[in-house]
């Protein structure tokens, strides 16, 4: 898949912008604050329907404007996909795919395969379990859009249960809790199963990548630590996920009634990554952590490509964070698809490709350059 | 801002579901330009509906008399009840001409987020119908959402101890269309719920 055309109206600093990117490598160069990331953020938004900056939608709207509009046209051979998003300051956003309203947001998210590398990717390793769960769940949905409804359903069911607990506490209706538990156990088992399936594929890919991107042939492995029941390691025979979760919810009922929230389930699970049996989060060097984080993104790319679609690759200011060795090894592995790279310093970008000069609110092609 | 009477109508219209500011303006100006009798007919239709229509005493469908036309129809099979969330769902199921029983309108689905629990729905009224009407099967036609599913499970748990058959609508492919017209979600559902032939 590649982006052929991008148009922004009232998005952050851009009043209006139209770009026809190169089908291969695009390098956006400009000072900090010039708007490089905004362009990449907009491209990412068209694929995932959210900002990779974790910014609320309203922050995308230019100061003084009422509605931000992002339009893009992607193509893959003969297939063309046009995605348009209108984000108003008040009211709901409007999304059109090929001029039609999609039946669900999830069906949009599966349409455009895209992988983003960010300076903050180290968060995947260093910060709380929510970051790792989100990484897995996003990748699950990109690979299998049809299961998005189960992931969203699980979240919704937990929110319903929490709302009931918050409102009624110990007086919450038992039968309503029972049926919510039943639904949460069913959907939770699906979510868990999807995460484990993905981790099983991811494990060997990560080890292989670490050998290339990292500093040695150490083994990358994972431990899935459930908030209930025991941890699940590697391809061990899988326990009955649904039954375990149902039992855990029943056992946690009294605690949940007291604390007015749902204390067990996939929304509380942790995914521990290990490097040569050391916990990467607590017992690896900064450099090792960076290599594993980089590996997670490259692995996402590789798995999406395996599905048969070359993803669009977005690298937002990542080279400033990497030492020369890692930069070079990443670039050597750069794929045949379309790439967007941003950097404040041109000499930092070790790739050839179309150069774009970004200055406050505008973008100009400055031709091919090495 | 428009002149006060126009703005007042726009504001009222914009409060309706599915109508935003722009649509409200378009409708308001349309009504300004049509024949006065046409505009008046619309206003009278709204008033008449509110004055004459009420809820069926048995199934809570909308009706203009004590009981709705379906509940009054003696040819309908009283042993089967189709449970729906809202009155407009009755019309949707009726259009299939496949169901010959009666209905029960719950008035929503269990959703603690919106403050709706079983006690806010017409569940007690449903259970009260089972014996006197000789109901043996309840078909749950709530929406295929988390709230609809939860409500369906709740109904199954409440009704099964009474010795009833409780069934739930299947979800799957639209009939008569090409496979490539189905969105991934529907197709995915249909695939995971496939049946052996």
């Amino acid at each position: 898949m590649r982006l052929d055309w991008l148009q922004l109206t009232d998005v952050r600093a851009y009043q209006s912008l139209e770009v026809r990117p190169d089908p291969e490598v695009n390098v956006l160069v400009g000072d900090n604050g010039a708007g490089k990331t905004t362009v990449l953020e907009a491209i990412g938004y068209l694929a995932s329907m959210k900002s990779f900056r974790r910014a609320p939608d309203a922050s995308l709207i230019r100061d003084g404007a009422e509605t931000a509009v992002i339009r893009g046209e992607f193509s893959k051979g003969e297939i063309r996909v046009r995605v348009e998003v209108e984000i108003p300051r008040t009211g709901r956003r409007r999304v059109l795919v090929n001029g039609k309203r999609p039946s669900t947001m999830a069906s949009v998210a599966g349409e455009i395969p895209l992988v983003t590398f960010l300076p903050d990717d180290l968060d995947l390793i260093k910060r709380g379990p929510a970051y790792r769960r989100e990484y897995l769940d996003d990748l699950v949905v990109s690979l299998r859009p049809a299961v998005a409804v189960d992931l969203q359903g699980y979240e919704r069911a937990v929110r319903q249960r929490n709302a009931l607990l918050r409102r009624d506490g110990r007086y919450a209706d038992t039968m309503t809790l029972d049926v919510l538990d039943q639904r949460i156990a069913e959907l939770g088992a699906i979510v868990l199963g999807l995460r484990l399936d993905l981790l099983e594929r991811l494990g060997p890919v990560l080890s292989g990548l670490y050998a290339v991107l990292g500093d040695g042939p150490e083994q990358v492995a994972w431990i899935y630590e459930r908030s209930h029941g025991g941890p699940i390691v590697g391809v061990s025979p899988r326990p009955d996920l649904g039954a375990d979760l149902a039992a855990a919810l029943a056992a946690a009922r009294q605690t949940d009634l007291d604390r007015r929230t749902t204390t067990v389930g996939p929304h509380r699970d942790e995914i521990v990554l290990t490097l040569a049996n050391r916990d990467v989060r607590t017992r690896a060097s900064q450099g090792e952590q960076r290599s594993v984080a980089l590996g997670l993104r490259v692995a996402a790319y590789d798995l999406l490509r395996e599905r048969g679609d070359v993803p669009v690759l977005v690298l937002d200011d990542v080279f400033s964070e990497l030492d020369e060795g890692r930069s070079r090894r990443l670039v050597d592995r750069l794929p045949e698809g379309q790439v967007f790279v941003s950097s404040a310093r041109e000499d930092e970008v070790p790739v050839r490709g179309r150069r774009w000069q970004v200055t406050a609110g505008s973008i100009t092609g400055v031709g091919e350059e090495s | 801002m428009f002149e006060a009477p126009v703005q007042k109508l726009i504001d009222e219209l914009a409060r309706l579901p599915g109508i935003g500011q722009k649509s409200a303006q378009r409708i308001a100006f349309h009504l300004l330009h049509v024949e006065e009798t046409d505009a008046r007919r619309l206003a009278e239709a709204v008033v008449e509906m509110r004055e004459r229509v009420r809820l069926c005493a048995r199934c809570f469908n909308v009706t203009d008399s004590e009981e709705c036309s379906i509940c009054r129809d003696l040819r309908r099979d009283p042993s089967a009840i189709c449970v729906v969330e809202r009155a407009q769902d009755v019309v949707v199921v009726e259009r299939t001409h496949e169901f010959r029983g009666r209905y029960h309108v719950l008035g929503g689905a269990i959703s603690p987020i919106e403050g709706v629990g079983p006690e806010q729905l017409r569940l007690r009224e449903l259970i009260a119908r089972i014996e006197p009407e000789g109901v043996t099967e309840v078909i749950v036609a709530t929406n295929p959402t988390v709230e609809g599913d939860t409500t369906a499970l709740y109904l199954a748990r409440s009704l099964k101890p009474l010795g009833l058959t409780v069934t739930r609508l299947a979800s799957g492919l639209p009939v008569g269309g090409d496979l490539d017209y189905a969105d991934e979600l529907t197709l995915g559902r249909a695939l995971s719920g496939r049946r052996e032939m």
Side-chain angles (χ1 to χ4, degrees):
Chain A
M1 196 62 92
R2 66 169 202 236
L3 177 68
D4 298 319
W5 173 76
L6 177 73
Q7 188 192 55
L8 309 184
T9 309
D10 293 329
V11 179
R12 293 199 192 269
Y14 294 97
Q15 189 164 13
S16 92
L17 175 82
E18 192 173 358
V19 206
R20 295 188 175 276
D22 191 272
E24 284 163 16
V25 179
N26 295 275
V27 181
L28 278 64
V29 185
D31 294 335
N32 288 324
K36 303 182 295 290
T37 301
T38 301
V39 176
L40 301 184
E41 184 184 26
I43 298 171
Y45 199 104
L46 292 175
S48 66
M49 291 297 133
K50 62 184 181 190
S51 158
F52 62 57
R53 282 183 177 171
R54 298 168 175 275
D57 276 359
S59 69
L60 288 164
I61 306 165
R62 190 174 64 87
D63 284 341
E66 279 311 304
T67 309
V69 183
I70 309 172
R71 293 198 178 89
E73 196 163 282
F74 296 82
S75 69
K76 178 195 169 192
E78 295 288 289
I79 305 164
R80 310 188 79 75
V81 183
R82 191 188 175 93
V83 186
E84 298 165 272
V85 193
E86 262 183 51
I87 302 163
R89 214 171 269 288
T90 51
R92 297 173 63 130
R93 73 174 170 192
R94 228 163 63 96
V95 179
L96 295 177
V97 178
N98 290 332
K100 279 189 296 193
R101 226 183 283 191
S103 57
T104 62
M105 272 315 118
S107 61
V108 184
E111 202 80 53
I112 313 292
L114 180 139
V115 176
T116 326
F117 288 61
L118 305 171
D120 301 342
D121 280 346
L122 206 48
D123 288 350
L124 290 176
I125 304 296
K126 287 190 133 173
R127 301 202 46 182
Y131 283 80
R132 290 174 286 289
R133 290 194 301 261
E134 188 189 36
Y135 166 84
L136 281 186
D137 292 348
D138 283 354
L139 187 52
V140 161
V141 171
S142 301
L143 291 166
R144 293 180 60 186
V147 301
V149 68
D150 295 316
L151 270 68
Q152 285 159 3
Y154 174 77
E155 261 170 48
R156 179 86 182 160
V158 171
R159 277 180 53 211
Q160 289 287 14
R161 189 175 187 268
N162 288 343
L164 178 62
L165 289 167
R166 206 169 316 121
R167 195 188 58 185
D168 296 344
R170 277 162 226 192
Y171 304 102
D173 178 58
T174 307
M175 193 140 93
T176 306
L177 274 174
D178 287 346
V179 293
L180 279 169
D181 284 8
Q182 185 182 340
R183 204 66 197 112
I184 288 172
E186 287 164 4
L187 290 164
I190 296 174
V191 172
L192 260 163
L194 289 165
R195 286 183 186 167
L196 292 170
D197 287 347
L198 178 58
L199 280 168
E200 280 176 16
R201 289 177 66 192
L202 213 47
V205 178
L206 280 174
S207 289
L209 286 169
Y210 192 80
V212 180
L213 298 169
D215 307 291
E218 280 119 321
Q219 198 74 24
V220 183
W222 52 269
I223 304 164
Y224 190 95
E225 285 182 350
R226 284 185 288 176
S227 50
H228 59 283
I232 300 173
V233 185
V235 284
S236 56
R238 210 175 273 180
D240 185 336
L241 303 169
D244 281 7
L245 185 51
L249 284 163
R253 172 72 64 91
Q254 195 52 51
T255 314
D256 289 359
L257 287 170
D258 292 340
R259 291 210 216 152
R260 297 181 170 229
T261 189
T262 304
T263 57
V264 295
H267 65 291
R268 292 287 184 108
D269 292 352
E270 164 70 294
I271 298 105
V272 176
L273 293 165
T274 63
L275 185 62
N277 293 322
R278 287 175 290 133
D279 185 340
V280 178
R281 192 178 175 196
T282 53
R283 294 182 54 220
S285 73
Q286 177 99 353
E288 288 171 329
Q289 290 179 333
R290 217 169 261 298
S291 293
V292 176
L294 206 55
L296 286 171
R297 292 299 183 199
V298 180
Y301 187 92
D302 288 354
L303 291 182
L304 278 167
R305 190 169 48 175
E306 251 175 54
R307 202 187 59 165
D309 236 358
V310 183
V312 176
L313 183 57
V314 171
L315 306 169
D316 184 24
D317 198 23
V318 285
F319 293 109
S320 61
E321 301 287 327
L322 297 176
D323 57 54
E324 228 188 289
R326 283 197 181 79
S327 290
R328 191 142 307 283
R329 278 171 280 176
L330 177 62
V331 169
D332 288 344
R333 241 191 134 276
L334 274 192
E336 70 275 29
Q338 191 180 35
V339 183
F340 292 86
V341 187
S342 77
S343 177
R345 293 184 43 211
E346 173 150 15
D347 53 347
E348 254 176 18
V349 182
V351 276
R352 304 171 72 90
R354 177 89 191 264
R355 252 50 181 179
W356 300 89
Q357 184 66 46
V358 182
T359 47
S362 84
I363 178 167
T364 351
V366 289
E368 287 284 328
E369 223 239 323
S370 61
Chain B
M1 278 299 241
F2 297 95
E3 291 297 310
V6 180
Q7 189 61 45
K8 189 174 153 200
L9 178 60
I10 292 174
D11 291 346
E12 287 301 324
L13 288 169
R15 286 167 56 191
L16 302 175
I19 295 186
Q21 274 297 326
K22 284 212 178 110
S23 307
Q25 278 176 29
R26 206 159 42 227
I27 296 168
F29 279 96
H30 171 79
L31 291 172
L32 198 59
H33 290 122
V34 296
E35 291 289 326
E36 200 192 322
T37 48
D38 289 341
R40 197 169 289 281
R41 207 161 47 235
L42 172 66
E44 279 164 3
V46 173
V47 172
E48 188 183 325
M49 177 190 81
R50 289 303 307 220
E51 279 174 355
R52 290 194 40 202
V53 169
R54 48 185 169 159
L55 299 183
C56 168
R58 190 189 295 266
C59 77
F60 302 94
N61 189 8
V62 289
T63 176
D64 57 0
S65 52
E66 175 68 16
E67 286 195 350
C68 75
S69 54
I70 295 169
C71 286
R72 284 196 316 253
D73 186 343
L74 296 173
R75 291 163 304 176
R76 309 282 303 208
D77 174 7
S79 73
I81 288 186
C82 177
V83 179
V84 294
E85 289 182 20
R86 314 214 158 268
Q88 55 263 45
D89 301 333
V90 171
V91 183
V92 180
V93 181
E94 272 303 279
R95 264 195 240 124
T96 67
H97 300 290
E98 287 294 323
F99 180 66
R100 296 305 300 159
R102 289 170 174 167
Y103 292 88
H104 190 84
V105 181
L106 283 176
I110 296 175
S111 175
I113 291 173
E114 290 154 291
V116 180
E119 61 284 1
Q120 274 78 36
L121 303 175
R122 297 186 194 103
L123 277 172
R124 242 173 293 113
E125 291 86 341
L126 172 63
I127 290 167
R129 288 177 64 184
I130 304 298
E131 249 205 50
E133 294 182 30
V135 177
T136 55
E137 182 181 4
V138 170
I139 299 159
V140 184
T142 50
N143 292 331
T145 57
V146 167
E147 294 73 26
D149 291 342
T150 305
T151 309
L153 287 172
Y154 194 98
L155 284 171
R157 288 202 187 195
S158 318
L159 298 173
K160 273 196 178 152
L162 306 177
L164 295 173
T165 309
V166 183
T167 54
R168 174 106 166 92
L169 291 193
S171 64
L173 289 175
V175 179
D178 287 340
L179 208 56
D180 58 356
Y181 273 129
D183 65 280
E184 294 93 286
L185 289 184
T186 308
L187 193 51
R189 284 303 88 168
L191 209 60
S192 58
R194 65 187 180 275
R195 278 197 314 230
E196 197 181 320
M197 322 180 35

